[in-house]
């Protein structure tokens, strides 16, 4: 199990805490009083590129070895998702290279992780390639994860 060391200003000494990568936000209690902007959030670039549609000579578009659930369980809390509409479904891609990963699969894995780890958060950006259907795609994606989306403050 990983260990983090930090300095406790109240007791003026160093502390060590063991934590699980899939629940680090909950396990590291000293984070409770910190603003989100003050926490270094681990994340992944082109998170959906763990399964590419075509093998490329240098495989430069494949940025991840783990699926979305695996990345979250390994501690990632920021996901970079890029989707485009192809044959009426949203697929993840990187540049001009397509993955074999539907956006719905990624969103299902995020939902499953958050359902199992209710004290964790996931920050995700979603780039949808500009099409005539972009708003419909956004509606679909946000409806899929709406139970886990942060609510705007009044």
């Amino acid at each position: 199990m990983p260990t983090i060391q930090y300095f406790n200003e109240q007791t003026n000494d160093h502390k060590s805490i063991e934590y699980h990568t899939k629940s680090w936000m909950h396990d590291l209690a000293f984070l409770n009083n910190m603003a989100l902007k003050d926490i270094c959030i681990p994340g992944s670039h082109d998170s959906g590129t763990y399964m590419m549609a075509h093998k490329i000579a240098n495989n430069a578009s494949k940025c991840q070895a783990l699926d979305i659930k695996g990345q979250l369980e390994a501690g990632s809390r920021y996901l970079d998702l890029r989707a485009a509409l192809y044959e009426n479904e949203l697929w993840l891609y990187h540049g001009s290279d397509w993955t074999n990963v539907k956006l719905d699969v990624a969103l299902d894995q995020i939902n499953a992780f958050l359902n199992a780890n209710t004290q964790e958060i996931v920050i995700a950006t979603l780039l949808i390639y500009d099409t005539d259907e972009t708003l419909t795609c956004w509606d679909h994606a946000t409806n899929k994860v709406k139970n886990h989306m942060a609510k705007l403050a009044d």
Side-chain angles (χ1 to χ4, degrees):
M1 191 166 10
T3 302
I4 190 168
Q5 295 184 347
Y6 71 100
F7 183 74
N8 186 329
E9 292 178 359
Q10 294 172 338
T11 60
N12 204 28
D13 64 346
H14 291 276
K15 299 278 186 183
S16 293
I17 299 175
E18 289 186 336
Y19 64 94
H20 298 278
T21 56
K22 71 179 184 178
S23 58
W24 66 266
M25 297 187 99
H26 174 259
D27 296 346
L28 301 176
F30 69 89
L31 297 176
N32 291 343
N33 297 322
M34 294 177 71
L36 190 57
K37 69 177 182 65
D38 294 328
I39 302 171
C40 184
I41 305 289
S44 59
H45 169 71
D46 275 310
S47 306
T49 59
Y50 56 90
M51 188 169 38
M52 301 306 294
H54 302 286
K55 177 89 171 130
I56 305 161
N58 65 4
N59 222 12
S61 291
K62 183 177 180 179
C63 298
Q64 303 302 325
L66 300 174
D67 65 6
I68 300 297
K69 182 177 179 243
Q71 291 173 50
L72 294 171
E73 288 178 347
S76 182
R77 291 296 177 273
Y78 167 76
L79 300 172
D80 168 26
L81 302 172
R82 300 159 192 229
L85 198 59
Y86 178 72
E87 295 183 356
N88 293 322
E89 294 197 75
L90 285 167
W91 292 84
L92 300 181
Y93 72 97
H94 181 200
S96 60
D97 299 321
W98 291 88
T99 70
N100 279 336
V101 183
K102 293 180 185 177
L103 177 61
D104 278 352
V105 169
L107 297 176
D108 287 344
Q109 289 182 19
I110 294 169
N111 276 331
F113 176 81
L114 290 171
N115 286 335
N117 300 279
T118 59
Q119 301 295 313
E120 300 297 298
I121 65 164
V122 173
I123 300 168
T125 56
L126 174 59
L127 170 71
I128 297 179
Y129 185 78
D130 191 25
T131 71
D132 293 339
E133 301 295 322
T134 298
L135 288 178
T136 303
C137 296
W138 272 108
D139 288 343
H140 172 78
T142 55
N143 279 330
K144 190 86 171 161
V145 293
K146 67 182 173 192
N147 291 335
H148 295 294
M149 290 178 67
K151 308 294 185 265
L152 294 176
D154 293 331

